[in-house]
Amino acid sequence: RVHGCRRFLFIRGKSAHQMSNTRETGLRKSLSIQGLPASCLEVHIAEFTPEAGAGLARELSEADRLKDFDALIFVSDSVATGALRQLQSQGIRVPGDLIVCAASHTSGSSHYSPRLTTLDEEVVTTGHDALTLLASHQTGKSAAEPVMKPVKLRIGDSCGCHPDNSPEPGDEVPAMLEYFQLFRQLGFSFLSDSRFSEVFPLLHKALGMEYCS
């Protein structure tokens, strides 16, 4: 609405990837709320790597398809940053010619030029909360219930808006230390315990999310 975009390309993971499915559902709902038809969104599948993002941008350019879109929306920052570099190497201006945004906010997304507009899932805080819930469940202090965690929009330069301030990296350190303490509380020896692979499905269960290996 702010930039007048009406033609979107969403780059996501494979059909079995729950996060991609959830984000596509949310994107379609948002576009519908804005009064845009379902046909305004095209979907492509890509691996979660910068190389995949670069390859997709190259293919779209070679097929002369970039002109068909106002904005590229990536399911993860890693794919988006690869696409950004490829677009720039071909002389395509972001956001002048094309808007780019993503949805995972890695720590390096604010260090690219242009800085990437992305959704911050606040994974450190979410992981800490999940471990706290898991610890409570194991001690019988609380029942397992689905938990909805908010996300935060980190506005960079890649969408054409004035960027906001990125979070200070040091803010995540105390939460990470608590992370490790909770791992030890749950009986996991970080990295060395063979049961470490069990943590991820347990965390998803604690947050009421579907785990996809």
Side-chain angles (χ1 to χ4, degrees), residues 78-128:
S78 60
V79 189
T81 53
L84 271 175
R85 288 195 295 269
Q86 181 63 32
L87 292 171
Q88 289 174 324
S89 71
Q90 296 176 194
I92 297 167
R93 300 173 301 152
V94 176
D97 299 320
L98 194 64
I99 285 174
V100 172
C101 57
S104 63
H105 185 64
T106 57
S107 59
S109 59
S110 60
H111 300 296
Y112 285 89
S113 180
R115 284 182 287 181
L116 186 62
T117 292
T118 182
L119 290 179
D120 185 354
E121 300 169 306
E122 300 187 329
V123 292
V124 172
T125 302
T126 300
H128 174 269

Side-chain angles (χ1 to χ4, degrees), residues 137-148:
H137 297 164
Q138 289 194 341
T139 57
K141 293 181 180 179
S142 64
E145 295 181 0
V147 175
M148 296 295 293

